[in-house]
Amino acid sequence: MLRLPAVAGLVYPDNPQGLIAQVREYADPQPNGNPRHVQACLVPHAGYRFSGHVAGAVFARIVLPKKILILGVRHRPPGEPIAVISRGAWRTPLGDAPIHEPLATALKNECPILRDDPVAHSTEHSLEVQLPFLQVLSPGFAFVPIALGTVRFDDLITVGAALARVLAANPDVLLLTTSDLNHYEDDATTRLKDQQAINQILAVNPRGLYDVCRDAAISMCGLGPTVAMLTALRRLGTTHAELVRYATSADVSGDTTSVVGYAGLIFS
């Protein structure tokens, strides 16, 4: 199947030249910074104007391989709560990004609760906004899109364990996970809440993140994908996590009354 762009011109530019220029601006490598191989990364998925610089800072720090698992959240579309598309391509203004069918098949074999469902992905933006970065920075890549519309802890652990088995058998694959952090509270409150969540992510603690988001009412939209990622990383023995950049929408808009938080992290 060919999945057409749902948010081009809304969340990111639909003009190819402008889109390439914006990606290169956000992912401009730092002086004396050598990109490194990592197992996973966490990046935001808001409009490029607000969070592109956070995602770009992460992508500038890492070596992007040719095979990528993109683990995102299902915000609104109907469909399966744990959904993949295992064949075809996704289109952006920069062309078509192919799905890595053997990798998708391997993941489905390891994770029986994962279902093929294009409906769940049809209008979801969290995965789509990653593709232009990858198309510009890692031409020729192939990917597997996974959207989680559940926050059932047991299901997230099941997904994470399956991801760990697939990654262990495919060490040349990057697990790219996407989430924004706290939503629509004032800037000071959001920064305090986000730090609590970031502390658990840095500790590679899936249960700790799940509990702190519940107990402190942290409206982290990608809680499910992040818990699944942290589960996979713990099973793989990953202990090193690094916060690359943090911001809120107030840094761009100037409005501190109702903001969204964004963090970019890498795991190796």
Side-chain angles (χ1 to χ4, degrees):
M1 66 156 285
L2 178 63
R3 194 268 195 187
L4 298 176
V7 293
L10 299 172
V11 177
Y12 63 91
D14 57 2
N15 174 272
Q17 290 73 32
L19 179 54
I20 291 170
Q22 198 166 88
V23 166
R24 293 202 181 281
E25 176 187 353
Y26 290 142
D28 185 30
Q30 296 298 309
N32 304 317
N34 294 319
R36 49 191 276 212
H37 292 274
V38 300
Q39 288 186 311
C41 64
L42 179 69
V43 294
H45 53 247
Y48 278 18
R49 172 174 174 248
F50 295 103
S51 70
H53 63 295
V54 177
V58 170
F59 292 130
R61 288 280 302 278
I62 67 177
V63 175
L64 287 168
K66 297 305 180 186
K67 292 188 287 186
I68 300 175
L69 289 168
I70 307 182
L71 182 60
V73 63
R74 195 196 76 192
H75 286 90
R76 295 184 184 87
E80 294 288 342
I82 304 172
V84 66
I85 299 179
S86 59
R87 62 174 54 192
W90 284 32
R91 179 165 294 170
T92 80
L94 303 182
D96 294 347
I99 290 172
H100 196 290
E101 294 184 19
L103 188 59
T105 299
L107 184 59
K108 288 197 298 181
N109 289 340
E110 292 291 348
C111 190
I113 63 175
L114 186 63
R115 298 284 186 269
D116 254 296
D117 184 15
V119 173
H121 287 272
S122 59
T123 61
E124 175 53 50
H125 69 279
S126 66
L127 293 90
E128 179 182 331
V129 299
Q130 313 308 323
L131 295 180
F133 278 98
L134 302 177
Q135 287 174 306
V136 173
L137 302 174
S138 183
F141 80 99
F143 77 110
V144 178
I146 309 147
L148 300 184
T150 179
V151 289
R152 285 173 49 92
F153 189 75
D154 289 347
D155 287 345
L156 300 176
I157 296 302
T158 297
V159 172
L163 287 167
R165 292 190 292 271
V166 170
L167 292 169
N170 298 272
D172 57 341
V173 173
L174 172 69
L175 178 57
L176 191 169
T177 304
T178 181
S179 178
D180 297 336
L181 298 183
N182 196 57
H183 287 61
Y184 309 137
E185 294 188 87
D186 65 84
D187 192 69
T189 299
T190 288
R191 289 177 183 272
L192 288 172
K193 287 189 172 186
D194 285 351
Q195 189 59 59
Q196 294 180 70
I198 289 168
N199 287 344
Q200 298 302 319
I201 298 170
L202 288 170
V204 194
N205 186 350
R207 183 80 239 188
L209 176 64
Y210 190 87
D211 289 346
V212 77
C213 285
R214 178 195 60 198
D215 296 343
I218 303 169
S219 54
M220 179 178 179
C221 60
L223 174 61
T226 309
V227 166
M229 175 192 69
L230 294 176
T231 300
L233 292 172
R234 282 185 72 93
R235 290 181 179 240
L236 291 168
T238 302
T239 58
H240 183 264
E242 178 184 347
L243 178 64
V244 176
R245 181 169 291 183
Y246 173 79
T248 75
S249 56
D251 296 332
V252 174
S253 70
D255 179 3
T256 61
T257 62
S258 179
V259 311
V260 179
Y262 314 114
L265 297 98
I266 55 178
F267 306 84
S268 57

